[in-house]
Amino acid sequence: MIIGIIIMAFGFYQGFSMNKEKILDFVQTHPERFDNESIENFNKKELKTLEAEHIHHLLEQTHNRPWSALYMAAFYFTGISLGALFFLGIQHAAQSGWSIVVSRIMEGIASFIPYGGALILLILIFNGMGVVHMFHWMDPSLSDPESSNYDELIANKRPFLNIPFYILRSIIYIAGWTFFMCWLKRLSKKLDKTLSLKDHNKLHDVSVVFISFFGVSSMIMGWDWIMSLDPHWLSTLFGWYVLGSYWVSGITVITLVALYLKSRGYLPFFNDNHLHDLAKYMFATSLLWTYLWFAQFLLYWYGNIPEEVAYFMHRAGQYNYIHFLMLIPNFLLPLLGLISSSAKRKPKIIITFGCIILIGHIIDMYNMIMPGSVGGFYGFGAAEIGSLFFVSGGFLFIVFRALSQMELAPRGNQLFHESEVYEYPF
Amino acid sequence: MSGHYESPIREPLILGNKTYHDITQDVARPIESKAGKLWWITFGTALMALVWGMGCILYTIGTGIGVWGLNRTVNWAWDITNFVWWVGIGHAGTLISAVLLLFRQKWRLSINRSAEAMTIFAVVQAGLFPIIHMGRPWDAYWVLPIPNQFGTLWPNFNSPLLWDVFAISTYFSVSTVFWFMGLIPDFAMIRDRVTKPIQKKIYSILSFGWGGKAKHWQRFEELSLVLAGLCTPLVFSVHTIVSFDFATSVIKGWHSTVFPPYFVAGAIFSGFAMVQTLLGVARKVLHLEDYITQKHIEYMNIVIVVTGGMVAVAYITEFILAWYSGSPFEDFTYFSPGAATGPFWWAFWALIICNVLLPQALWFKCVRRSFFWSYVISIFINIGMWFERFDIIVLNLSHDYLPSTWTGFLPSFVDIGIFIGTNGFFFVLYLLYARTFPVIAQAELKTIMKSSSEKYKKMRDEQGNH
């Protein structure tokens, strides 16, 4: 069984590695191609009306695009792992019974955190070194009162938004999450052997500490990694909005992986009742995301203050209203498709809507990241598709490798039997 | 028997060697016996507070809103604070019933009935404040969108205050239906036990001819699920819209997007604190120690820690991002260094101490399993959550954009009197409820008897039978 999973994972890896090489080649050997295209477009439209100074900035934006695409893919998949780890932490902290049969899948998905985190960190460090310019606030001239670029608002944010502190915070998040992920995995593995109540309780305690750490770090991470792309704009809800997006993606991936493994016969104990519960979480977190989207949007729409609505205007006009259109895959379709009890128990329906949700949240990530870093030079081409293939290949490889190395049934967990016989009371 | 299986590590939720009949008797006892001295003393005190409050309300209506402590700058203070405080308290009941029902949490069954009753009584108190504040309560129907021919004005649909009218009235009606529906089998149980003809008649009407047939139960379960599904978004919507009131209407141009989810979390936080306060008393007075166990208290305290944690993260966010915005006006908002050191420093610190610092004691297992300490902490949280709303409104309003209008706020005796009056009213309703209603959902509680009672757990252990 385990060998089967390894072969399968290898198959996945092989399938995607072609794209990976292709894309790496593409990004490394022809970076000019993107830029030339964009610059040509740019020449046609606006060059005459702009001053020479701005051209430099816009040039940077066009250079940003492959990086932003990679960053988006890295963040998307790291977020999925993080969402799965958060969900796992909740299961242990709440002593939940039904979900133990899929807890190993959550552990497997969470295994990608250090790899995805390292990729994000690498991009952030490149930004800090000035190789890439996704984060406008990293430009030192903005806080130099002598410079013509001086920006008082950004200069005032320097105690928080400065490169060393920023990188340090990023390292703390990634190291912290990785640490808890490894700890939880180790404990759960140990429990299989010892079967002791003490280890079981420790799993609970570690989860509680992790959730506390996550509660604060996820909020600030949202400001750092995403919100600071638009350094003049802020929203106190933002950290939770980002959380809403990767949480629903994480739960969806847990469900899809469980269904896949079940179809290959590796999860005989996973049945309709568990699927039903996972699907309920897909439904509930989709609505939670929508709620957060709405809460943030409504207050800014209502206030109608120029500095604040600029964020939405930018996204609405230049980005063809994807800010609103993404409500279709992220809210409307899950709402209509997953509300019925019987639909939640049909694997085909869940796979369909799972894919819709995953695509919808790629759009959400795109909408959060691109306008701040590439401005008008966006597109959805080789850079984006390639990055998604590249990172998803790595993600699937790591996740399935991790899953192949573990016993998929956490038999040592005190609640395993409860989870096995779990029956949804209609 | 898989339906009754429960891992042996789970603590029992019904203590003592209870049989099904014992549960019936324990629940029916307060209704069938005469009230004790303690009940009469509490009831008398609550009634006096209610009478005092009614006097203050009549005085306000007769004389005008001028008898309150409001002024031109702080034109909204004590009344709206109380309104939101009561709405927040009204949150836990439906949360316990609806959300915990969706999560199939067995521990909810001992406490849901009382929590739902609390919800309804708290929303009644909340509803009083906007009506009194109108000054002309006989025109209260003007808030409804009735065509102008009726002598009303078409309401402003852009105002969150109008959304409140719909949100809270929907919440109130659905919660009442939910509560009443759950009561039907229990009313039937009392109907079958009482002997006096009048009582029998009343409980027969209330129980809607319940016969306990399989068909009845099937409808009951289905309706529970549908109502729970409807209530869950309502729990969110009510406090979201209340948060919109503040986010859009307190200081023009000032809003914080974290308000909606943070208000929802805060409402659950304060609602559970009030459930603790009420059940702490009810448990002793009505002798429900076997049903409201240490484990129940612990569960509730964990919910308090989680929602309190969310509120604390929101506070941190408010504080940091207010600075991050670079706007000098942010230093006058309720969460800023200016607030911590300004004239309302005491209100700021009351909030921090009651809502953030003291609840941290619940991290210790001995504290969160202690009836006494959870009771004490729950009272502090009630106070802290009152201050949170007070801070958001009064601190923000007292320092707006125009320094020449800056001023303070002092409540008048009428403000305080009305607040005390609503507390009295709340307890009057609650005490009457405790004497006439089955305070534990006994019919539903019996469904977890085999899985979660001490007696059956022991039997399983002895027979080694899963």
Side-chain angles (χ1 to χ4, degrees):
Chain A
M1 176 177 116
I2 293 167
I3 296 168
I5 297 176
I6 296 176
I7 295 170
M8 176 190 71
F10 189 65
F12 263 109
Y13 183 64
Q14 265 191 330
F16 288 116
S17 63
M18 272 186 55
N19 292 303
K20 173 186 151 186
E21 279 159 354
K22 188 175 127 197
I23 293 321
L24 274 180
D25 273 340
F26 208 70
V27 173
Q28 283 164 358
T29 56
H30 309 281
E32 295 310 309
R33 212 180 114 180
F34 297 111
D35 304 338
N36 286 337
E37 255 179 39
S38 306
I39 292 164
E40 271 167 29
N41 278 339
F42 174 60
N43 278 339
K44 276 179 224 153
K45 286 178 201 157
E46 290 165 300
L47 185 63
K48 284 164 201 160
T49 58
L50 283 159
E51 290 171 29
E53 259 183 37
H54 285 154
I55 295 169
H56 175 67
H57 173 62
L58 293 170
L59 243 172
E60 275 178 0
Q61 284 194 333
T62 60
H63 282 294
N64 281 340
R65 193 180 141 188
W67 286 106
S68 301
L70 188 61
Y71 184 68
M72 176 186 87
F75 184 76
Y76 179 67
F77 286 100
T78 314
I80 286 173
S81 296
L82 196 56
L85 185 64
F86 179 44
F87 197 57
L88 176 72
I90 292 175
Q91 306 310 319
H92 289 318
Q95 295 284 293
S96 127
W98 69 274
S99 56
I100 298 304
V101 295
V102 283
S103 65
R104 284 285 149 81
I105 295 174
M106 301 179 204
E107 289 173 17
I109 294 172
S111 308
F112 184 66
I113 291 176
Y115 303 93
L119 187 57
I120 292 176
L121 196 62
L122 198 69
I123 300 174
L124 295 180
I125 290 174
F126 281 163
N127 271 289
M129 284 160 42
V131 181
V132 197
H133 302 276
M134 284 163 58
F135 294 87
H136 177 59
W137 60 264
M138 285 184 176
D139 183 349
S141 67
L142 292 172
S143 55
D144 176 11
E146 306 294 311
S147 160
S148 58
N149 281 339
Y150 179 68
D151 184 323
E152 196 189 338
L153 277 173
I154 292 178
N156 285 335
K157 293 181 170 77
R158 274 291 178 249
F160 187 74
L161 287 185
N162 61 69
I163 293 165
F165 187 33
Y166 180 83
I167 299 289
L168 178 73
R169 283 199 302 268
S170 304
I171 293 173
I172 292 175
Y173 311 142
I174 296 165
W177 300 330
T178 308
F179 170 73
F180 281 108
M181 183 269 289
C182 294
W183 201 2
L184 284 175
K185 270 175 80 174
R186 206 174 55 232
L187 269 175
S188 133
K189 199 173 171 184
K190 191 177 158 201
L191 197 59
D192 274 354
K193 289 191 195 107
T194 60
L195 300 166
S196 79
L197 198 59
K198 207 181 128 204
D199 286 332
H200 181 85
N201 290 337
K202 201 169 171 195
L203 201 58
H204 166 267
D205 297 346
V206 173
S207 300
V208 171
V209 180
F210 161 68
I211 291 174
S212 314
F213 173 75
F214 179 81
V216 179
S217 60
S218 64
M219 190 74 167
I220 307 179
M221 177 272 277
W223 309 338
D224 275 347
W225 289 1
I226 311 282
M227 199 169 83
S228 78
L229 287 163
D230 294 88
H232 285 140
W233 185 81
L234 68 114
S235 164
T236 43
L237 176 61
F238 204 76
W240 285 345
Y241 175 73
V242 182
L243 168 69
S245 179
Y246 60 74
W247 199 21
V248 58
S249 314
I251 291 169
T252 306
V253 171
I254 295 170
T255 317
L256 295 183
V257 172
L259 279 174
Y260 180 76
L261 291 177
K262 168 87 178 169
S263 73
R264 292 292 162 106
Y266 298 132
L267 279 185
F269 37 79
F270 178 82
N271 60 39
D272 286 358
N273 295 301
H274 305 106
L275 178 63
H276 190 162
D277 269 16
L278 282 170
K280 273 191 281 187
Y281 276 103
M282 280 165 64
F283 176 78
T285 45
S286 285
L287 291 186
L288 177 73
W289 173 88
T290 312
Y291 169 69
L292 297 170
W293 180 95
F294 177 73
Q296 177 168 279
F297 177 72
L298 183 112
L299 284 180
Y300 282 149
W301 169 79
Y302 198 98
N304 201 14
I305 293 174
E307 297 91 309
E308 291 171 350
V309 294
Y311 181 88
F312 298 99
M313 300 298 269
H314 192 39
R315 277 155 177 78
Q318 289 190 359
Y319 278 71
N320 294 323
Y321 297 93
I322 56 168
H323 187 256
F324 300 99
L325 290 176
M326 71 181 169
L327 288 175
I328 297 171
N330 290 348
F331 164 61
L332 206 58
L333 294 176
L335 172 74
L336 299 175
L338 294 177
I339 198 164
S340 115
S341 283
S342 54
K344 292 194 194 85
R345 299 169 88 88
K346 294 197 178 80
K348 274 187 188 145
I349 293 182
I350 299 302
I351 292 171
T352 313
F353 284 98
C355 293
I356 290 173
I357 292 173
L358 288 179
I359 293 170
H361 284 278
I362 292 178
I363 303 176
D364 188 21
M365 287 293 158
Y366 189 86
N367 181 56
M368 283 194 272
I369 292 175
M370 291 300 177
S373 64
V374 303
F377 300 101
Y378 68 93
F380 199 84
E384 287 77 13
I385 296 170
S387 304
L388 284 170
F389 270 115
F390 167 55
V391 185
S392 66
F395 174 79
L396 290 173
F397 173 68
I398 304 277
V399 168
F400 280 97
R401 195 185 60 180
L403 285 171
S404 69
Q405 284 165 354
M406 54 174 80
E407 169 65 46
L408 287 175
R411 295 189 195 281
N413 195 304
Q414 305 280 339
L415 300 169
F416 181 69
H417 184 61
E418 193 178 308
S419 180
E420 249 185 323
V421 299
Y422 169 72
E423 209 173 303
Y424 176 72
F426 270 101
Chain B
M1 287 297 278
S2 68
H4 292 309
Y5 174 77
E6 194 178 84
S7 171
I9 61 164
R10 297 205 190 272
E11 275 183 51
L13 295 172
I14 304 170
L15 298 180
N17 206 15
K18 298 281 178 200
T19 61
Y20 286 108
H21 186 58
D22 289 338
I23 297 184
T24 308
Q25 281 185 319
D26 287 343
V27 174
R29 190 178 308 117
I31 303 170
E32 291 167 353
S33 57
K34 282 222 154 61
K37 207 187 235 170
L38 190 63
W39 187 88
W40 280 111
I41 295 172
T42 331
F43 186 74
T45 321
L47 199 63
M48 279 196 304
L50 168 62
V51 170
W52 174 244
M54 282 298 153
C56 288
I57 291 173
L58 290 176
Y59 179 51
T60 306
I61 293 168
T63 316
I65 302 296
V67 298
W68 291 358
L70 302 175
N71 54 52
R72 240 179 234 214
T73 308
V74 184
N75 48 21
W76 221 26
W78 196 268
D79 50 321
I80 189 86
T81 304
N82 295 334
F83 163 74
V84 182
W85 189 70
W86 280 117
V87 174
I89 287 170
H91 250 71
T94 307
L95 183 99
I96 289 173
S97 317
V99 178
L100 297 186
L101 180 127
L102 294 180
F103 281 110
R104 303 284 164 183
Q105 293 297 307
K106 291 172 181 166
W107 60 277
R108 78 177 198 284
L109 295 169
S110 296
I111 53 172
N112 65 346
R113 176 68 43 74
S114 298
E116 285 166 43
M118 178 195 81
T119 289
I120 290 159
F121 302 150
V123 174
V124 168
Q125 310 311 322
L128 279 176
F129 283 97
I131 294 174
I132 307 167
H133 198 173
M134 286 171 191
R136 295 183 181 85
W138 49 91
D139 282 338
Y141 67 95
W142 283 37
V143 298
L144 300 172
I146 303 171
N148 293 3
Q149 292 93 312
F150 290 88
T152 57
L153 289 175
W154 193 243
N156 178 6
F157 277 94
N158 285 341
S159 166
L161 294 173
L162 179 71
W163 309 343
D164 257 346
V165 174
F166 303 126
I168 290 176
S169 50
T170 314
Y171 182 70
F172 180 75
S173 13
V174 177
S175 298
T176 312
V177 172
F178 200 9
W179 182 55
F180 193 82
M181 191 209 57
L183 276 163
I184 289 174
D186 294 356
F187 277 143
M189 177 274 282
I190 294 172
R191 172 199 65 196
D192 297 343
R193 285 173 61 96
V194 290
T195 44
K196 289 181 195 151
I198 297 176
Q199 284 186 347
K200 198 149 193 112
K201 191 78 201 160
I202 294 172
Y203 284 110
S204 317
I205 294 169
L206 288 176
S207 57
F208 279 25
W210 175 269
K213 294 175 190 147
K215 194 82 191 165
H216 293 173
W217 277 112
Q218 188 239 342
R219 286 182 183 138
F220 178 88
E221 289 286 335
E222 210 148 287
L223 192 58
S224 303
L225 190 63
V226 169
L227 283 176
L230 279 175
C231 275
T232 308
L234 285 175
V235 169
F236 272 78
S237 79
V238 171
H239 235 71
T240 298
I241 291 173
V242 168
S243 81
F244 286 165
D245 290 346
F246 298 148
T248 62
S249 314
V250 173
I251 290 282
K252 289 88 202 153
W254 176 80
H255 41 234
S256 172
T257 49
V258 82
F259 265 28
Y262 136 58
F263 266 54
V264 173
I268 296 166
F269 181 58
S270 74
F272 265 88
M274 195 51 134
V275 174
Q276 290 272 36
T277 312
L278 288 178
L279 287 183
V281 180
R283 181 179 171 273
K284 275 266 168 261
V285 176
L286 305 175
H287 303 290
L288 301 171
E289 287 90 344
D290 289 336
Y291 303 102
I292 300 164
T293 66
Q294 277 188 318
K295 193 66 196 170
H296 289 93
I297 300 286
E298 187 179 4
Y299 278 136
M300 285 195 273
N301 280 330
I302 289 172
V303 176
I304 290 178
V305 169
V306 171
T307 48
M310 288 163 77
V311 170
V313 169
Y315 289 166
I316 298 172
T317 304
E318 291 269 328
F319 202 83
I320 297 179
L321 289 189
W323 166 82
Y324 181 89
S325 74
S327 161
F329 296 108
E330 288 282 352
D331 198 32
F332 305 133
T333 58
Y334 78 111
F335 244 99
S336 61
T341 53
F344 283 104
W345 60 270
W346 47 272
F348 177 88
W349 289 106
L351 161 69
I352 298 288
I353 291 168
C354 295
N355 266 6
V356 181
L357 299 180
L358 286 175
Q360 302 313 319
L362 295 172
W363 282 98
F364 299 101
K365 197 164 186 157
C366 53
V367 177
R368 65 169 188 263
R369 287 179 73 96
S370 142
F371 294 106
F372 176 73
W373 287 114
S374 9
Y375 190 73
V376 171
I377 291 172
S378 76
I379 289 182
F380 275 108
I381 295 172
N382 286 327
I383 298 171
M385 285 307 290
W386 190 88
F387 270 108
E388 180 192 296
R389 281 65 175 250
F390 181 82
D391 286 5
I392 292 175
I393 298 152
V394 175
L395 263 74
N396 285 345
L397 279 176
S398 68
H399 282 187
D400 59 7
Y401 299 121
L402 201 62
S404 60
T405 63
W406 287 3
T407 179
F409 168 78
L410 265 185
S412 73
F413 80 95
V414 186
D415 280 317
I416 299 169
I418 295 177
F419 179 59
I420 292 171
T422 52
N423 276 291
F425 193 12
F426 177 73
F427 279 99
V428 163
L429 289 174
Y430 197 82
L431 287 164
L432 287 175
Y433 148 84
R435 301 269 328 128
T436 48
F437 282 56
V439 290
I440 283 184
Q442 53 89 27
E444 284 184 274
L445 186 70
K446 284 172 183 169
T447 61
I448 65 161
M449 184 82 163
K450 286 202 169 111
S451 66
S452 313
S453 77
E454 198 179 3
K455 181 181 170 189
Y456 279 86
K457 273 183 182 286
K458 250 187 220 152
M459 274 164 59
R460 259 205 305 271
D461 284 347
E462 279 159 15
Q463 296 166 4
N465 176 11
H466 281 198

